[in-house]
Amino acid sequence: LEKSGDERHSQLTGAVSQLRRILYENTEEKESGDRRKKETVIKEREGAMPDRLVSTVDPDARHGRKSETKKFVGYKAQILENEKEFIVDIYDMLGNRHDSWGVVPMMENISTSGLAPHYIVGDKAYAQDPLGPSLWQRGMQMVTPLCSFGVSTQTSFYRHKVLFNRTTLYNRLMGVRSQIERKNGQLKNQLGLKRCRYRGLKKFGFQCLFAALAANIQRWITLFLQAPPLLRLQMQSACR
């Protein structure tokens, strides 16, 4: 199909804008070093620009890391799972976002449906401010191990957290945190979230939703098969 002049102009403008961004994020002007000539030269930029473009075919993709040695290019998905191991929300985000980036948006999403939990369990990545105090103001508590990095230790919230982490309730809640790791493994290894099938954050979001739906169907079938015969009949009647 032939393209109109406006379409070609739009594509060319987008390509030029993308090229300018790549040059700006990867190069910088520096003095040439020749004292006799006051000139500047273009050199490779020292250090990476935050949120820089890493792919021309997928502009939303970003560099991310799971640890100091494990790095990737792409996206992240944050999941919220209840005590019955059903996914109640999933949040797609850029690969360079912090793990706790999607917690508050997910809480806002599920609060409208009456599913907001009182306790949210996570690892040390979720212990830093301002996540804990922000959820505390909404009537929710982020249950994590104590972490002094990135946390204000002189607040009433932190003092409450220190006391709470000494309770048996804290130990019980942290005991079920491993469930989320099994769910992460299921989503990545069985349901395809280990690799993004489409380009763009929006399309990745659709992939996340379908994977979460499939995981919940699998969980429902597991509970159905484990249920006593009478309860199975009741569950079948409820689905009709």
Side-chain angles (χ1 to χ4, degrees):
L1 295 176
E2 293 185 0
K3 296 182 179 180
S4 66
D6 290 340
E7 289 178 318
R8 288 195 295 268
H9 181 268
S10 177
Q11 286 184 344
L12 181 59
T13 302
V16 171
S17 176
Q18 196 173 72
L19 179 58
R20 284 176 177 171
R21 178 178 176 180
I22 293 172
L23 290 173
Y24 171 74
E25 292 177 342
N26 292 276
T27 62
E28 59 184 344
E29 291 185 359
K30 287 189 175 183
E31 294 184 0
S32 63
D34 190 344
R35 296 180 180 179
R36 295 171 299 178
K37 298 180 180 179
K38 294 182 179 181
E39 295 179 344
T40 58
V41 294
I42 304 297
K43 292 187 177 181
E44 184 177 353
R45 185 180 291 276
E46 295 181 0
M49 288 281 290
D51 208 37
R52 71 187 183 98
L53 186 71
V54 299
S55 172
T56 57
V57 296
D58 190 354
D60 290 340
R62 293 292 183 273
H63 283 303
R65 62 173 58 199
K66 299 177 182 178
S67 65
E68 291 296 326
T69 56
K70 293 183 179 180
K71 301 178 182 179
F72 67 92
V73 176
Y75 306 94
K76 285 182 178 180
Q78 185 73 52
I79 62 173
L80 182 67
E81 183 185 64
N82 63 16
E83 66 278 5
K84 297 296 184 181
E85 299 185 44
F86 284 99
I87 298 175
V88 295
D89 200 5
I90 187 165
Y91 185 83
D92 53 279
M93 54 188 176
L94 302 181
N96 60 353
R97 297 291 187 250
H98 191 270
D99 285 352
S100 62
W101 182 274
V103 175
V104 172
M106 285 195 296
M107 293 304 107
E108 293 175 348
N109 288 340
I110 65 175
S111 293
T112 58
S113 58
L115 295 175
H118 183 65
Y119 297 108
I120 309 161
V121 185
D123 56 24
K124 281 189 176 182
Y126 301 87
Q128 299 180 17
D129 291 344
L131 178 60
S134 177
L135 293 174
W136 182 257
Q137 294 175 356
R138 291 173 166 84
M140 310 173 198
Q141 182 169 347
M142 192 74 228
V143 181
T144 66
L146 289 176
C147 177
S148 58
F149 177 76
V151 176
S152 176
T153 60
Q154 304 301 319
T155 62
S156 58
F157 167 76
Y158 185 80
R159 290 192 291 270
H160 167 80
K161 187 176 180 64
V162 171
L163 294 175
F164 179 81
N165 283 22
R166 297 173 182 172
T167 64
T168 55
L169 176 58
Y170 167 80
N171 293 329
R172 183 174 67 82
L173 290 172
M174 290 303 297
V176 300
R177 203 202 72 81
S178 60
Q179 293 178 359
I180 200 69
E181 301 300 339
R182 293 200 299 270
K183 190 67 67 177
N184 284 333
Q186 179 187 10
L187 290 170
K188 290 193 297 184
N189 300 323
Q190 297 180 16
L191 299 174
L193 277 191
K194 191 172 185 179
R195 185 177 182 84
C196 183
R197 296 174 60 87
Y198 310 99
R199 296 171 183 169
L201 182 62
K202 186 176 181 179
K203 291 182 179 179
F204 175 67
F206 284 115
Q207 182 180 349
C208 291
L209 289 174
F210 286 124
L213 177 61
N216 283 346
I217 292 174
Q218 289 180 352
R219 179 57 182 164
W220 189 90
I221 293 173
T222 299
L223 293 178
F224 176 79
L225 295 176
Q226 293 175 349
L230 180 59
L231 182 57
R232 286 192 196 180
L233 291 175
Q234 294 175 347
M235 294 171 70
Q236 286 176 330
S237 300
C239 293
R240 291 174 183 174

